[in-house]
Amino acid sequence: MCGIVGYIGMKEAAPVLLQGLEKLEYRGYDSAGIAVYQDDIFTIKTKGRLHDLKQKIEKMDTSIHGSVGIGHTRWATHGAPSDVNSHPHSSENGRISIVHNGIIENYMELKLFLQQEGRKFVSETDTEIVAQLFDYYYQGDLVDTMIKVIDKIRGAYALGVLCSEHPDEIVAVRKDSPLLVGIGQNENYIASDIPALLEYTRDYYLLEDNEIVLLKKDSIQLFDLNRNEIKKEIFHVTWDVSAAEKDGYDYFMMKEIMEQPEGLRKTILPRIKENEIQLDQIELTAEQVNNINRIHIVACGSAWHASIVGKYIIEKLSRIPVEVDLASEFRYRQPILQKNDLCIIVSQSGETADTLAALREAKKHGVRVLSIVNVVGSSIARESDDVIYTWAGPEIAVATTKGYSTQLSVMYLLALYFGKARKTITEQEMTDYIQKLKKVPDDVQKLLEFEDRIKVLAKQYAHSKDVFVIGRGIDYAAALEGSLKLKEISYIHSEAYAAGELKHGTISLIEYGTLVVAVATQQALFEKLISNIKEVKARGAKVVAIATEGSTSIEKVADEVFYIPKTSEMFTASATVVPMQLLSYYIAVERGCDVDKPRNLAKSVTVE
Ligand code: AGP
């Protein structure tokens, strides 16, 4: 997704903008640019990476001077990646410069209107229309102009605007796309996400939809759409800069894989008191839990995979019916939502557009929303009735690992919490589950020790054409996540299948040497999975199995076995996903892929 940075203060703006954009690279982009006010607005931008932009700047005859500017990394939506489509975009007369994250849905009608007013365009983007519209309405006051522009545009946007007639101001606004204000000493900032500014400040205003901010170096004014001034709490960030750095790892992804045990301990242990699950942060009472008619879990991508694990476990332990929906499908299928339903929204970033829209759909139907989110203060967190944070720490790699595994641990906590409230779990069972739940971080730690063995496997299978991941029950849900990891960072085609489905089509794709990863921890389904392994072996497949310690019979059929420590079958996904994360990582490295920033992908998909 696009990244925005803005600076106004006493320093040279260009280095601050470029450094901030570097910290937002993880969001995914295909072009970059900055605009700095120096006697007039100077813009330099390019297709490609930030180092291409820096090279272009270095080749300039003069250096860029100015202490107010905006910067942008673009993830193309309207118009292919190109220099001219890169941001910032200017009005025809150069008076206005804009950076934008989001999509303006009515950009064509606005473009036609402006063309009829004699305005000409140079790019294919929706953002250039906003720059021209801003200039069209400009009559001397940036906030008034912003209000007029907002009244005309529809869609999702975070906007940062420079005006050559106001060199000591930046005006900005957000709706559906994240934007925050960094509070400095005699300098202020805007950015899409905290890592961009963490080096400069720990204090922020987290903008809500339709909140306009007017920045000067020594003042910050916040307005609503009626130009009423708004007062906001300052959000103080406590995590340290190194949390957003690689700390010696080659890629953020490996650092974050290794951080999983710590993230799990921080997410699980504070919520276990004696033999109880204590979710102090939520107001959902035991009585309300008893009245829950149905649970709808809604998410995208890996968060959706964690939701499927959640379905299996919540239904088994609390006997509450659970439906799981892809957020991009949910609001378009006219879901049947009733008053006593509970909607659980799962999102690492808390900014995924489809998931945020699903949350709003549920609330429109009067359904209580509980969200599981990793980014504190994110849009989804702020709009939920209850939030259970995953304490994974900032996740920078596009491919989620600790975000996903800590989401799983919150599903375990919720399932036990619901089961206790509805008395579907005995005291003894609760004691046993809690004892095993406390051990999940150590179980994951043990799986990380397979790293060297997996490096060897990665070399062997790095050039596979297809990789299939199979499992049954919770193992199938884990297989979905393992398959996505491989796809998104190594670009190898992979599919996850409920093992029982193989004979309904997929098995025709198995050829000699095809890699099949078989996840086999559910004892009641173990023998059936052994049969599925035999079926694919008979067609020439190579099988890497992930099973529970003691299930040694699997060695008779699989070519390689990774054992996870004995635990409750409810909790095995936390451990089984680790070998698949590591295998995906090392295959991607072997294939020379950009592991942290896979092609075409973004860390937080803030557009539909
Ligand atoms: C997972 O590795 C991907 N980055 C992607 O599927 C991600 O899980 C999805 O976009 C949802 O993101 P969210 O959890 O931030 O809402």
Side-chain angles (χ1 to χ4, degrees):
M1 278 311 86
C2 304
I4 288 176
V5 180
Y7 173 77
I8 186 163
M10 310 298 283
K11 293 198 275 275
E12 288 295 344
V16 175
L17 299 174
L18 291 169
Q19 171 144 324
L21 292 177
E22 260 174 31
K23 304 294 185 202
L24 297 179
E25 283 192 293
Y26 72 86
R27 297 169 65 85
Y29 71 104
D30 44 53
S31 57
I34 62 172
V36 173
Y37 182 84
Q38 48 177 24
D39 308 325
D40 203 344
I41 296 176
F42 172 78
T43 300
I44 185 165
K45 57 187 186 177
T46 182
K47 176 185 174 185
R49 312 300 288 177
L50 273 176
H51 70 252
D52 299 312
L53 178 62
K54 288 177 184 170
Q55 279 182 346
K56 201 167 182 177
I57 292 171
E58 279 154 23
K59 285 178 186 153
M60 285 170 44
D61 298 339
T62 57
S63 53
I64 304 173
H65 289 297
S67 55
V68 56
I70 50 180
H72 188 267
T73 46
R74 178 177 184 245
W75 188 77
T77 52
H78 294 68
S82 66
D83 291 3
V84 74
N85 286 336
S86 312
H87 301 209
H89 283 285
S90 306
S91 55
E92 205 175 344
N93 56 17
R95 179 163 60 182
I96 302 298
S97 178
I98 277 195
V99 288
H100 166 221
N101 176 17
I103 287 183
I104 304 302
E105 290 169 359
N106 61 332
Y107 80 101
M108 279 314 292
E109 72 184 74
L110 293 171
K111 186 166 189 173
L112 290 174
F113 162 71
L114 289 163
Q115 284 170 329
Q116 284 159 4
E117 294 292 321
R119 302 269 171 157
K120 291 183 181 46
F121 293 86
V122 295
S123 81
E124 305 160 84
T125 67
D126 52 348
T127 307
E128 187 187 4
I129 282 91
V130 183
Q132 295 273 44
L133 194 67
F134 198 100
D135 186 68
Y136 176 81
Y137 282 118
Y138 174 72
Q139 292 183 332
D141 182 290
L142 295 187
V143 175
D144 286 345
T145 311
M146 183 64 93
I147 290 171
K148 287 178 188 143
V149 167
I150 290 167
D151 182 51
K152 293 296 177 202
I153 60 178
R154 283 198 315 274
Y157 44 86
L159 296 171
V161 184
L162 286 188
C163 174
S164 59
E165 295 177 12
H166 295 256
D168 56 352
E169 294 177 348
I170 290 176
V171 67
V173 69
R174 67 145 287 172
K175 175 182 169 293
D176 294 339
S177 291
L179 194 67
L180 40 83
V181 177
I183 305 166
Q185 301 296 327
N186 223 9
E187 57 189 4
N188 290 305
Y189 311 79
I190 55 169
S192 301
D193 199 357
I194 289 169
L197 304 177
L198 197 55
E199 186 148 333
Y200 307 110
T201 177
R202 292 179 179 282
D203 293 328
Y204 299 86
Y205 290 126
L206 306 178
L207 293 184
E208 307 275 353
D209 279 358
N210 297 318
E211 289 183 345
I212 298 166
V213 59
L214 185 66
L215 280 191
K216 295 183 178 175
K217 67 174 184 302
D218 51 8
S219 74
I220 297 171
Q221 289 175 283
L222 299 161
F223 300 94
D224 65 17
L225 296 186
N226 299 312
R227 205 184 169 120
N228 300 316
E229 278 223 49
I230 304 167
K231 292 293 172 221
K232 284 178 84 78
E233 290 282 303
I234 290 178
F235 177 73
H236 181 73
V237 169
T238 53
W239 31 277
D240 56 41
V241 176
S242 69
E245 299 301 329
K246 275 191 266 193
D247 281 354
Y249 286 95
D250 292 338
Y251 292 102
F252 276 110
M253 184 177 174
M254 182 49 82
K255 176 184 174 221
E256 290 154 10
I257 287 172
M258 295 300 172
E259 286 175 339
Q260 290 183 113
E262 182 196 356
L264 287 163
R265 289 188 188 95
K266 286 182 178 174
T267 303
I268 296 169
L269 301 183
R271 291 157 170 156
I272 295 176
K273 300 271 188 302
E274 282 97 42
N275 206 31
E276 293 277 316
I277 304 297
Q278 284 203 349
L279 302 178
D280 301 338
Q281 342 42 7
I282 68 173
E283 291 165 17
L284 191 67
T285 62
E287 187 200 351
Q288 285 170 315
V289 172
N290 273 311
N291 293 332
I292 292 173
N293 172 49
R294 176 176 299 275
I295 293 175
H296 303 266
I297 311 182
V298 189
C300 299
S302 296
W304 180 69
H305 299 154
S307 304
I308 295 175
V309 174
K311 169 186 170 64
Y312 280 107
I313 297 171
I314 292 170
E315 285 190 340
K316 181 159 175 72
L317 298 187
S318 73
R319 308 312 296 156
I320 303 173
V322 178
E323 283 185 34
V324 179
D325 271 279
L326 286 170
S328 53
E329 294 290 317
F330 180 69
R331 71 188 185 286
Y332 299 119
R333 70 171 183 82
Q334 293 167 353
I336 299 165
L337 298 169
Q338 291 163 334
K339 196 168 68 65
N340 283 340
D341 288 359
L342 173 68
C343 180
I344 298 178
I345 293 285
V346 188
S347 175
Q348 188 284 132
S349 64
E351 298 296 350
T352 300
D354 285 320
T355 312
L356 180 58
L359 179 156
R360 291 170 176 168
E361 178 71 15
K363 295 198 77 169
K364 211 163 63 180
H365 286 76
V367 171
R368 187 182 187 89
V369 172
L370 180 154
S371 62
I372 300 173
V373 177
N374 192 46
V375 177
V376 177
S378 55
S379 301
I380 286 172
R382 294 205 300 273
E383 296 192 24
S384 301
D385 299 301
D386 288 309
V387 187
I388 300 180
Y389 282 115
T390 50
W391 298 116
E395 188 176 70
I396 306 300
V398 165
T400 184
T401 48
K402 63 179 185 174
Y404 166 80
S405 51
T406 49
Q407 285 164 359
L408 289 181
S409 66
V410 174
M411 292 296 180
Y412 308 155
L413 291 165
L414 277 175
L416 293 170
Y417 183 78
F418 292 157
K420 168 81 178 189
R422 294 173 71 114
K423 299 183 177 47
T424 47
I425 301 178
T426 65
E427 278 300 310
Q428 183 52 51
E429 285 169 333
M430 182 62 87
T431 303
D432 183 45
Y433 280 128
I434 284 183
Q435 184 244 329
K436 291 188 169 75
L437 180 52
K438 285 179 176 174
K439 206 169 69 55
V440 164
D442 296 338
D443 294 347
V444 170
Q445 186 70 51
K446 276 189 76 175
L447 272 291
L448 296 173
E449 291 161 15
F450 287 138
E451 189 178 357
D452 291 342
R453 274 181 63 192
I454 288 174
K455 271 184 194 169
V456 173
L457 268 186
K459 286 191 185 311
Q460 194 178 336
Y461 292 110
H463 302 289
S464 302
K465 183 166 75 68
D466 300 300
V467 177
F468 296 99
V469 189
I470 63 174
R472 288 175 176 257
I474 286 176
D475 290 336
Y476 165 55
L480 287 166
E481 176 58 11
S483 174
L484 176 61
K485 288 282 96 43
L486 187 64
K487 274 184 278 206
E488 65 176 331
I489 64 171
S490 76
Y491 316 143
I492 289 177
H493 169 254
S494 172
E495 294 189 54
Y497 274 89
E501 272 298 287
L502 281 172
K503 52 189 167 304
H504 299 288
T506 314
I507 201 157
S508 66
L509 296 174
I510 303 296
E511 297 169 345
Y512 182 76
T514 299
L515 173 60
V516 173
V517 178
V519 189
T521 70
Q522 304 299 297
Q523 288 316 308
L525 301 164
F526 186 76
E527 287 310 319
K528 293 188 186 307
L529 202 98
I530 293 287
S531 304
N532 298 138
I533 292 175
K534 288 176 182 170
E535 286 161 16
V536 296
K537 285 291 291 175
R539 274 88 183 165
K542 290 290 184 191
V543 175
V544 171
I546 303 170
T548 304
E549 281 167 359
S551 315
T552 52
S553 60
I554 202 163
E555 292 174 24
K556 297 190 186 81
V557 291
D559 298 282
E560 182 97 28
V561 184
F562 291 93
Y563 287 111
I564 71 167
K566 282 188 187 304
T567 181
S568 160
E569 292 188 359
M570 298 292 100
F571 305 151
T572 58
S574 301
T576 56
V577 75
V578 175
M580 295 188 276
Q581 293 169 341
L582 290 169
L583 184 62
S584 303
Y585 173 87
Y586 280 111
I587 286 179
V589 169
E590 189 65 24
R591 291 168 65 93
C593 298
D594 185 347
V595 175
D596 283 342
K597 300 188 284 296
R599 67 187 180 198
N600 308 335
L601 287 178
K603 180 60 181 172
S604 175
V605 183
T606 55
V607 292
E608 277 200 36

